[in-house]
C-alpha cells in the first residue's frame, strides 16, 4: 500500500468500528500527520474503549489485507483485554502481506492521559491534547511534535496548548502575544519563568523534558521486566504454530492470567515511581537540584492507573 492507501485503510477501520457503536480514535504518529505536524508514517496507533474490545477483535479477525488475516504481532503482545489495558498495557497486531507488513497498536487508555481521551476527539482522531500527552516519551523525535501540537492548540484558542510548548524561543515569543490563563500557568512552573522573562526558562524546559523522558524510560523498563515470563509462556504454548486470531487470543488470555501482572506501576506504587524518577535525575546529574522546583506535579497523568 502507498501511504495514502494505508491512511485510508486505517480510517475505514475506525469508521467500521464506529458503525458498530465502538468509541475509538486514531492517535500518535498518524494523528500528527492529520494535524499537519508530521509528513508520513506507516504505523497506526488506535485508542479503543476497553468495553468494546470484543467488537474490535471480531472486526480484526474478519479483516484481511491482500487476503492475509490479522494476527497478534510476535510473542510479546499482551492480550486485547480490559484487565491488562487498565494497567497501561498495549496490544499489537499485524497483517503480514506479500510486499509489506501492516501494523496496528491498540490502547485502551492514552498513556499519560490527564483526562479521559474519549472527551477529546476530532473526527476520526484523538484530539491534539491527547496526542501531545502520548508523545511525552523518551524518544527524541517525538518532542518537536509536542511543541507543534501545542502551537496548533493555541492557534485554535485552546489554552491547554501552553502545557505542550517545550521550545524556549517559541515560548518567549508566545507570552508576548497570547495571554496565558493563571489556572494553566499554575499547572506548569516553567510557565511562570516564561511570563516573567526569567533567563532560567531554557533550563527549566530542559529539566521538565528530562523528567518526562526518565518517567517513560523507567515505565518501559518495569513493563518489560513483567513481560518476560509471559513471553516465555506464549513461546512455549505456541510452539512455532501460527494460530487463527481468536484462538491465539484465547491462548494469550490463558498465559496472561498466569504470568502477566495486570497493573505493574500501581503495584509498584505510583508516588514511589514518580519520586524515584525525580531523585534519580539529581543523583545522575541529569538536572541540577534547584531544577526540582520547576518540575510539574505529574500524578494527574497517571491517575487512570488507579481506576
Amino acid at each position: 500500500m502507498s501511504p495514502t492507501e494505508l491512511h485510508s485503510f486505517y480510517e475505514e477501520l475506525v469508521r467500521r468500528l464506529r458503525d458498530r457503536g465502538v468509541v475509538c480514535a486514531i492517535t500518535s504518529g498518524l494523528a500528527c500527520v492529520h494535524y499537519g505536524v508530521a509528513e508520513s508514517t506507516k504505523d497506526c496507533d488506535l485508542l479503543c474503549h476497553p468495553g468494546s474490545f470484543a467488537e474490535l477483535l471480531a472486526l480484526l479477525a474478519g479483516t484481511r489485507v491482500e487476503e492475509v488475516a490479522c494476527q497478534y504481532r510476535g510473542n510479546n503482545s499482551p492480550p486485547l483485554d480490559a484487565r491488562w489495558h487498565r494497567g497501561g498495557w498495549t496490544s499489537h497486531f499485524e497483517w503480514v502481506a506479500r510486499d509489506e507488513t501492516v501494523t496496528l497498536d491498540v490502547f485502551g487508555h492514552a498513556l499519560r492521559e490527564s483526562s479521559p481521551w474519549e472527551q477529546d476527539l476530532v473526527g476520526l482522531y484523538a484530539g491534539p491534547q491527547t496526542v501531545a500527552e502520548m508523545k511525552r516519551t523518551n524518544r527524541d523525535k517525538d518532542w518537536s511534535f509536542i511543541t507543534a501540537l501545542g502551537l496548533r492548540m493555541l492557534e485554535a484558542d485552546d489554552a491547554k496548548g501552553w502545557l505542550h510548548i517545550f521550545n524556549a524561543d517559541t515560548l518567549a515569543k508566545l507570552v508576548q502575544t497570547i495571554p496565558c490563563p493563571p489556572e494553566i500557568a499554575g499547572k506548569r512552573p516553567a510557565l511562570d519563568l516564561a511570563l516573567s522573562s526569567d533567563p532560567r526558562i531554557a533550563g527549566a524546559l530542559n529539566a521538565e523534558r528530562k523528567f518526562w523522558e526518565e518517567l517513560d524510560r523507567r515505565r518501559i523498563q518495569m513493563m518489560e521486566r513483567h513481560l518476560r515470563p509471559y513471553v516465555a509462556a506464549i513461546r512455549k504454548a505456541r510452539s512455532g504454530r501460527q494460530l487463527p486470531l481468536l484462538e491465539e487470543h484465547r491462548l494469550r488470555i490463558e498465559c496472561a492470567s498466569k504470568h502477566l501482572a495486570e497493573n505493574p506501576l500501581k503495584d509498584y506504587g505510583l508516588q514511589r515511581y514518580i519520586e524515584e524518577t525525580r531523585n534519580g535525575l539529581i543523583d545522575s546529574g541529569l538536572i541540577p537540584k534547584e531544577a526540582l522546583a520547576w518540575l510539574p506535579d505529574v500524578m494527574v497523568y497517571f491517575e487512570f492507573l488507579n481506576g
Side-chain angles (χ1 to χ4, degrees), residues 250-284:
R250 288 189 290 270
L251 183 148
R252 289 183 186 246
I253 291 289
E254 181 181 344
C255 290
S257 297
K258 298 176 182 177
H259 301 286
L260 186 62
E262 293 180 10
N263 199 329
L265 276 177
K266 182 180 179 181
D267 293 344
Y268 188 78
L270 293 173
Q271 195 61 55
R272 176 186 174 190
Y273 155 66
I274 293 169
E275 286 303 315
E276 287 182 353
T277 302
R278 288 167 59 94
N279 294 335
L281 289 171
I282 303 302
D283 295 342
S284 64

Side-chain angles (χ1 to χ4, degrees), residues 162-200:
W162 286 106
L163 302 175
H164 308 300
I165 307 298
F166 280 85
N167 180 279
D169 292 336
T170 300
L171 195 55
K173 293 176 182 176
L174 287 171
V175 296
Q176 302 299 320
T177 57
I178 303 176
C180 179
E183 63 271 20
I184 295 292
K187 295 180 179 180
R188 191 180 182 198
L191 289 176
D192 282 333
L193 296 179
L195 291 167
S196 60
S197 300
D198 193 310
R200 295 175 296 175

